Amino acid sequence: MSGGRKVNARRRKILAGAVSAAALWPGLALAQSGSGNKSLYLYRGADRDKRVIEGAKKEGKVVVYTSLNLKDSVPISEVFEKKYGVKMELWRSSSEKVLQRAVTEARAGRYSVDAFELNGPELEALYREGLLDEFYSPNFVNLPPSAFPKHRHYAADRFNFFTIAYNTNLVKPADVPKSYEDLLDPRWVGRIGIEASDTDWFGSMVKAMGEQKGLAYFRKLSEMKPQIRTGHTLIAELVAAGEIPLAATIYNHNAERLKVKGAPIDWKPLTPTFGRPNAVAMAKHAERPHAALLFADFMLSLEGQKLLKKRNRVPASNKVDSNLNDFPYQMIDPVVVLDESEKWEKIWADLFLQGRKAKKEAD
């Protein structure tokens, strides 16, 4: 890994396929390879926007690897193409599979991707692999400090916030939990849903509570016989259908998407509320760097952020009002997720999954 940084066992496993491919090119050192795009990525001259747009039009297309599902990413790409006349080619899969593909291709000396729109931890892994470059966008001014890692090689365009959600036909307003402690009320035994892969939320919660107190809390929560399901979208649908009265870990935008359609579901942030960043990043060896920058500019612009809001996603921009981020929150640190995931996944599996490994959802 670049810079001598450690990667835990889970990330080594994620990259295993890519490493086997790299054996065919033992002399390839990704992190040491130069990038001719950095000066463009960081350019701030007065003609910057004009230069980016004209260059992108000459390049003709941008190749984006993303975890954003196609029902959201395709409509966004159509607006981008109509606005700029630049084709957007999407390759969409889970964040882990995007990471594997990007590393495998790079170690084979192939650089197909120009830009990423991906979960924070996987982008952090790509940064440590030496496959991202720092970049600048004039839209950074509208983003909160939590949208950036210290090294600034990616910038959040959207957040996934962990909140509770409940079926409004089954849970009376007076019974809606006001704190995480309320989830331990005996009335919720066997009636709480938890998403199976939310180990980063779990680790963040335990650390926020203090490890001893936090682990004690989650032991009690596991004794509540929660229903474990894979997929935040699925859990939202089960809550709306009345199969699960209350969900302890849900993305609030999934609940909102059903709520606006008239489903009997609502959501509520509890303290502390944690968010998971999803961000845009520049491929260090992008063949179409102007188009990559134009993609990032668009996703972070007010127009792009409003498109995300229209899709009931949570925009990162401070300039786009949304009830989906109008509350105090803390951001899950992708660096900590990457470095400590093995620890928290083991404890989580023992508490909630009978020792089985959590299966990750696609988005």
Side-chain angles (χ1 to χ4, degrees):
M1 302 298 291
S2 62
R5 296 179 176 86
K6 289 178 63 180
V7 175
N8 58 43
R10 184 169 82 90
R11 292 300 163 190
R12 286 197 297 269
K13 191 174 294 183
I14 289 172
L15 295 171
V19 172
S20 63
L24 299 175
W25 291 269
L28 187 62
L30 296 180
Q32 296 176 2
S33 299
S35 168
N37 297 329
K38 192 165 188 176
S39 60
L40 171 65
Y41 287 159
L42 294 175
Y43 184 65
R44 300 192 183 204
D47 63 340
R48 186 259 184 201
D49 292 354
K50 180 175 181 288
R51 182 175 173 181
V52 168
I53 293 173
E54 290 179 351
K57 289 183 175 181
K58 289 179 181 179
E59 291 163 351
K61 71 175 182 179
V62 60
V63 177
V64 178
Y65 288 2
T66 183
S67 62
L68 183 62
N69 62 46
L70 293 177
K71 67 182 179 183
D72 291 331
S73 56
V74 169
I76 291 173
S77 71
E78 290 172 346
V79 175
F80 175 87
E81 291 175 351
K82 183 177 181 180
K83 182 179 180 71
Y84 296 111
V86 177
K87 181 175 176 56
M88 186 186 299
E89 289 188 7
L90 296 170
W91 190 81
R92 189 266 172 186
S93 190
S94 69
S95 288
E96 289 187 356
K97 289 182 179 178
V98 170
L99 170 61
Q100 289 174 339
R101 177 175 175 137
V103 173
T104 299
E105 289 181 341
R107 291 185 173 179
R110 296 184 8 257
Y111 303 105
S112 302
V113 62
D114 300 311
F116 298 92
E117 202 278 354
L118 208 57
N119 286 346
E122 281 71 24
L123 284 173
E124 182 64 26
L126 286 170
Y127 161 70
R128 296 183 184 193
E129 283 288 305
L131 297 179
L132 303 181
D133 251 343
E134 184 179 356
F135 71 102
Y136 163 77
S137 171
N139 298 309
F140 282 177
V141 68
N142 295 327
L143 299 179
S146 57
F148 304 94
K150 290 181 180 179
H151 51 71
R152 299 181 74 85
H153 277 61
Y154 49 88
D157 62 326
R158 58 188 173 98
F159 298 135
N160 290 331
F161 284 113
F162 294 92
T163 69
I164 64 168
Y166 55 94
N167 184 290
T168 55
N169 291 336
L170 300 177
V171 180
K172 299 176 182 178
D175 294 337
V176 176
K178 297 179 176 62
S179 69
Y180 282 105
E181 287 292 330
D182 290 346
L183 298 180
L184 304 180
D185 190 298
R187 79 178 73 201
W188 300 119
V189 172
R191 303 178 70 212
I192 296 176
I194 293 179
E195 207 283 326
S197 64
D198 284 338
T199 53
D200 51 353
W201 169 81
F202 166 63
S204 299
M205 286 287 295
V206 171
K207 295 175 78 169
M209 293 178 175
E211 190 159 332
Q212 184 175 358
K213 181 180 177 181
L215 289 175
Y217 170 81
F218 278 98
R219 289 190 192 99
K220 293 177 182 177
L221 185 62
S222 70
E223 294 169 359
M224 298 292 291
K225 300 179 181 178
Q227 300 183 47
I228 309 298
R229 298 288 188 274
T230 298
H232 296 92
T233 300
L234 173 62
I235 286 191
E237 292 169 347
L238 293 175
V239 171
E243 295 186 37
I244 297 177
L246 175 71
T249 61
I250 196 170
Y251 293 159
N252 64 343
H253 68 261
N254 285 333
E256 184 73 13
R257 183 170 285 171
L258 296 172
K259 178 182 175 181
V260 297
K261 293 180 180 178
I265 187 172
D266 206 349
W267 58 272
K268 180 178 180 179
L270 301 180
T271 302
T273 297
F274 281 97
R276 176 190 289 154
N278 292 262
V280 291
M282 301 294 97
K284 175 175 282 190
H285 303 282
E287 294 183 4
R288 295 158 288 269
H290 296 85
L293 265 181
L294 187 61
F295 166 74
D297 284 351
F298 179 74
M299 293 301 296
L300 299 176
S301 70
L302 292 183
E303 182 177 5
Q305 292 288 285
K306 288 177 180 178
L307 280 174
L308 286 171
K309 178 183 177 181
K310 185 178 180 180
R311 307 302 305 176
N312 286 307
R313 295 285 180 166
V314 186
S317 174
N318 290 325
K319 297 295 184 180
V320 179
D321 293 331
S322 172
N323 66 314
L324 294 173
N325 62 8
D326 190 20
F327 45 80
Y329 61 83
Q330 302 177 47
M331 199 52 53
I332 293 173
D333 187 346
V335 175
V336 175
V337 173
L338 201 64
D339 291 338
E340 300 183 6
S341 63
E342 186 176 14
K343 169 185 176 180
W344 299 115
E345 286 178 4
K346 174 66 168 61
I347 300 172
W348 176 266
D350 291 342
L351 286 175
F352 295 103
L353 306 177
Q354 297 180 318
R356 297 189 300 271
K357 182 181 178 180
K359 181 181 178 182
K360 298 291 182 178
E361 68 172 338
D363 179 37

